[in-house]
Amino acid sequence: MPGSPRRPLDRTPPRRGAAGAFTSRRAPGSRRLRGALPVSSRRFSVGLALVVVPLLVITGRLWLLQGVDSGEYALAATQDRISVRDVLPLRGPVVDRDGDPLAYTVEASRVTADPTLVADPARTALALTTLLDVPVSELTDLLSADGRYVVLASRVRPETVDAIEELGLDGVYSEDDPVRLYPAGSVAGQVVGFVGREGAGLAGVEQTMDEKLAGTPGERRVEVGSGGHPIPSGIDESTPAVDGQTVELTLDSDLQFVTEQRLQEACQDGATTRASAVVLEVATGRVAAMGSCPGYDPGDYSRTDPDLLGNPIVSSVFEPGSVLKAVTLAAAIEEGRATPDRVLSVPGSIAAGDVVVRDAHPHPPIDWTVTGVLAKSSNVGTIMLAREVGDQRLEEYLRAFGLGRTTGIELPGESAGILQDSAEWTASRAANVPIGQGVSVTTLQMASMYQAIANGGVRVEPRVVAAVGGQAPPAPASTRVVGESTADDVAAMLEAVVGPGGTAPLAQVEGFRVAGKTGTAQRANPECNCYAGGGYVTTFVGFAPADDPQYVVAVDLERPASDAEGGQVAAPVFADVMRQALTADGIVPSGTPRPVPVLTGPQP
């Protein structure tokens, strides 16, 4: 108030807890933090997030499952019920030239089970035992086994499978399991070959023609229920299999049987350990028969010595011996170095480098005609003519006749034989090759050489497949190796081998003129890699009728403990096989007599 004295300002701080303008309205120690929530609010937010976020995730996932991905999962569920099964094709048959079956396939199945789906193994086994012809105890053990796949029986007939399916047994199924049958047994077994457990060809024509014979598999997609059986109204989609093609061979089954039977007899003579023969049609080079002893049954190959599962006629080589002399003399005639009537003074031996080559039987110098050199199988006379031809030219003729290369026949494992380049021949090798030593051939190559001579000098590559799927393959290659007149001269000289004074009268076939040549070559001894103690390979190759050749037959016998000559043991086998070939084919006997050969020169 005016006139009243002013009171001094009290600067003393208020007492804690006293009321006043600056007294805090909050409890002591509860200082406000700028921008933060109370602790209770934070806990609530975290809890809310832990609940809401999973709910949002679950909701989103359900939306994806029921909306976006529903079709995909429905398809996956269906696929889980789809059973995909291969539909195996029937392998194509192999037949002979007349359509008679040598191999064919029949439908069959493999009955299997998933033990995890078999609720009562004993009861299921009891239901199957009679149908499968398997003991109940064995089936029970299989149906109780661990795992999801067991084989209950193989090669089950279609009607048996139908009966099993009608039972509707849970966990019991069937798979295609075709059976390959060989109704001819061992006849032509080495040519036909066999198939393995997986159905692929492993030998013979079964192997080389596997792609054509196998066919193309199909597929069946079936919707199945919990027991593994098809749902009648479910998915059933199939792609049919395409069966294999028929392979027709050039073989004559009757001639094949006789050939193999005659070889079996040869193998039982106590000295012959292996025997082979092949029959070729002269004009076409087709194989009419081909066999060897010992052979095998393709339907029982698993119990056969593996060493016997090949075809030695195309894969085994041997030194042909004197049968090669016909080629050497053909070269001499073609080169103008000889004629059938040319006379040579032939000594009993001839030097060749560091060796001396002798004729099979000692003799003083003899004046033989070239025909006589061949008829008497003179080593010395042949070497004399070969030297006039020359090593290089002789090698060219040998290769033209098919030596040193494969024939291309439709069989696996064919050997090219062994023919060394003439530039590498030593003096002794140059003397041995013309007489069939130091060179190796197969039985098929040996037959092919004589097919060229019998066919007027034209060699046709041998073939054993006549048609595939009803279509004939391209014609085999043919090559003129010598002129027709040369071939005719050699054929006439080969008749002298079978005639009086020759080395193979046992090769004659009644009523027919026969031309051919014997061979007796040293056999290599595998124990010492030398000739000593190896025995011999005896051979005979020829054709008939000589005046109109139809068939060539080549025979070779491996005789480790014998020194018998080809004219004694191989020629009779030739005669029996050739007789069957000619008579079965209705070949008319020769209408002209055998010409009388001149074997020696004019006598003083």
Side-chain angles (χ1 to χ4, degrees):
M1 295 180 60
S4 298
R6 299 181 62 182
R7 295 177 63 185
L9 183 61
D10 186 358
R11 298 182 181 273
T12 304
R15 292 174 298 172
R16 187 178 299 271
F22 298 98
T23 303
S24 174
R25 294 191 296 266
R26 297 176 56 82
S30 59
R31 182 169 59 89
R32 183 189 299 271
L33 298 176
R34 188 183 299 272
L37 290 175
V39 173
S40 59
S41 296
R42 275 187 303 155
R43 291 177 177 174
F44 174 78
S45 298
V46 171
L48 182 62
L50 292 175
V51 172
V52 172
V53 172
L55 288 175
L56 290 175
V57 172
I58 293 172
T59 301
R61 185 61 178 161
L62 288 174
W63 176 75
L64 288 173
L65 290 174
Q66 296 180 0
V68 179
D69 296 337
S70 59
E72 180 181 343
Y73 279 94
L75 178 61
T78 302
Q79 293 296 335
D80 286 341
R81 299 195 303 272
I82 296 297
S83 173
V84 180
R85 305 177 183 178
D86 289 334
V87 179
L88 299 183
L90 291 182
R91 190 174 180 85
V94 179
V95 301
D96 73 354
R97 64 170 62 178
D98 297 320
D100 295 328
L102 297 170
Y104 65 94
T105 298
V106 296
E107 290 187 50
S109 296
R110 181 186 301 111
V111 177
T112 65
D114 180 351
T116 64
L117 299 179
V118 179
D120 190 339
R123 185 173 181 179
T124 303
L126 189 61
L128 294 172
T129 183
T130 302
L131 292 171
L132 298 180
D133 193 25
V134 178
V136 173
S137 59
E138 183 176 338
L139 289 173
T140 302
D141 290 342
L142 290 170
L143 294 168
S144 304
D146 295 332
R148 302 203 60 181
Y149 182 87
V150 292
V151 176
L152 304 181
S154 299
R155 298 189 173 188
V156 180
R157 296 175 178 273
E159 55 269 23
T160 302
V161 173
D162 292 341
I164 292 173
E165 290 180 352
E166 289 179 1
L167 296 177
L169 301 172
D170 289 347
V172 178
Y173 315 109
S174 65
E175 304 171 351
D176 287 343
D177 186 26
V179 178
R180 192 68 164 170
L181 300 177
Y182 300 90
S186 62
V187 176
Q190 293 162 319
V191 178
V192 175
F194 57 88
V195 297
R197 296 182 184 277
E198 302 302 320
L202 299 181
V205 171
E206 293 275 30
Q207 179 178 340
T208 55
M209 295 286 114
D210 185 63
E211 184 176 347
K212 302 295 185 181
L213 289 166
T216 304
E219 183 180 87
R220 184 183 180 191
R221 301 176 68 251
V222 183
E223 189 173 0
V224 297
S226 58
H229 297 290
I231 299 174
S233 59
I235 296 172
D236 191 344
E237 301 173 343
S238 298
T239 301
V242 179
D243 292 342
Q245 300 180 60
T246 298
V247 172
E248 178 186 337
L249 303 184
T250 60
L251 300 181
D252 179 330
S253 289
D254 292 337
L255 180 59
Q256 181 73 31
F257 174 79
V258 171
T259 300
E260 292 189 25
Q261 186 179 52
R262 186 61 182 86
L263 293 173
Q264 287 285 349
E265 294 175 4
C267 283
Q268 294 171 3
D269 65 4
T272 302
T273 57
R274 185 185 62 80
S276 297
V278 60
V279 183
L280 298 182
E281 294 179 353
V282 169
T284 65
R286 290 185 167 192
V287 177
M290 173 186 287
S292 66
C293 168
Y296 68 89
D297 182 349
D300 196 28
Y301 76 92
S302 61
R303 291 191 287 183
T304 301
D305 182 347
D307 292 338
L308 301 179
L309 294 179
N311 187 341
I313 299 169
V314 299
S315 60
S316 295
V317 299
F318 54 90
E319 296 185 359
S322 294
V323 298
L324 198 62
K325 291 174 181 174
V327 176
T328 301
L329 299 191
I333 294 173
E334 184 73 6
E335 289 291 300
R337 302 291 180 174
T339 63
D341 294 331
R342 177 189 169 186
V343 178
L344 300 174
S345 179
V346 182
S349 63
I350 189 170
D354 58 351
V355 301
V356 175
V357 181
R358 294 179 171 82
D359 278 341
H361 305 286
H363 63 81
I366 299 178
D367 290 339
W368 272 325
T369 63
V370 173
T371 299
V373 168
L374 189 61
K376 296 297 185 179
S377 197
S378 171
N379 295 330
V380 176
T382 303
I383 294 171
M384 293 170 62
L385 291 169
R387 287 177 174 175
E388 295 187 33
V389 173
D391 294 349
Q392 181 177 346
R393 288 296 289 158
L394 178 59
E395 180 199 351
E396 292 173 1
Y397 278 101
L398 293 175
R399 294 194 185 280
F401 272 91
L403 275 70
R405 62 188 180 91
T406 59
T407 67
I409 195 167
E410 308 93 333
L411 292 170
E414 185 182 13
S415 172
I418 301 172
L419 177 59
Q420 190 180 38
D421 291 341
S422 58
E424 300 176 5
W425 292 357
T426 61
S428 60
R429 176 63 58 88
N432 278 335
V433 169
I435 61 175
Q437 296 274 181
V439 57
S440 294
V441 301
T442 66
T443 310
L444 183 62
Q445 286 176 323
M446 193 167 64
S448 184
M449 291 189 299
Y450 277 67
Q451 178 273 328
I453 296 171
N455 196 38
V458 178
R459 178 178 172 271
V460 182
E461 293 183 343
R463 291 293 180 264
V464 75
V465 173
V468 179
Q471 299 295 318
S478 60
T479 306
R480 176 165 289 284
V481 294
V482 293
E484 186 172 359
S485 61
T486 296
D488 290 344
D489 284 344
V490 175
M493 293 161 58
L494 289 170
E495 279 197 80
V497 175
V498 181
T503 59
L506 295 180
Q508 296 182 34
V509 177
E510 300 82 0
F512 296 93
R513 288 168 55 183
V514 175
K517 183 70 184 76
T518 59
T520 305
Q522 287 181 288
R523 172 182 174 271
N525 187 344
E527 296 182 1
C528 65
N529 197 27
C530 62
Y531 287 120
Y536 293 86
V537 175
T538 59
T539 55
F540 188 91
V541 192
F543 48 87
D547 50 337
D548 184 20
Q550 298 296 315
Y551 290 102
V552 171
V553 176
V555 177
D556 66 271
L557 309 178
E558 189 174 272
R559 298 167 63 83
S562 171
D563 59 359
E565 298 180 348
Q568 298 171 291
V569 292
V573 178
F574 162 88
D576 290 341
V577 174
M578 180 62 82
R579 184 179 299 107
Q580 172 67 23
L582 295 173
T583 56
D585 201 26
I587 304 300
V588 177
S590 300
T592 58
R594 180 192 301 114
V596 179
V598 177
L599 304 184
T600 60
Q603 300 299 313

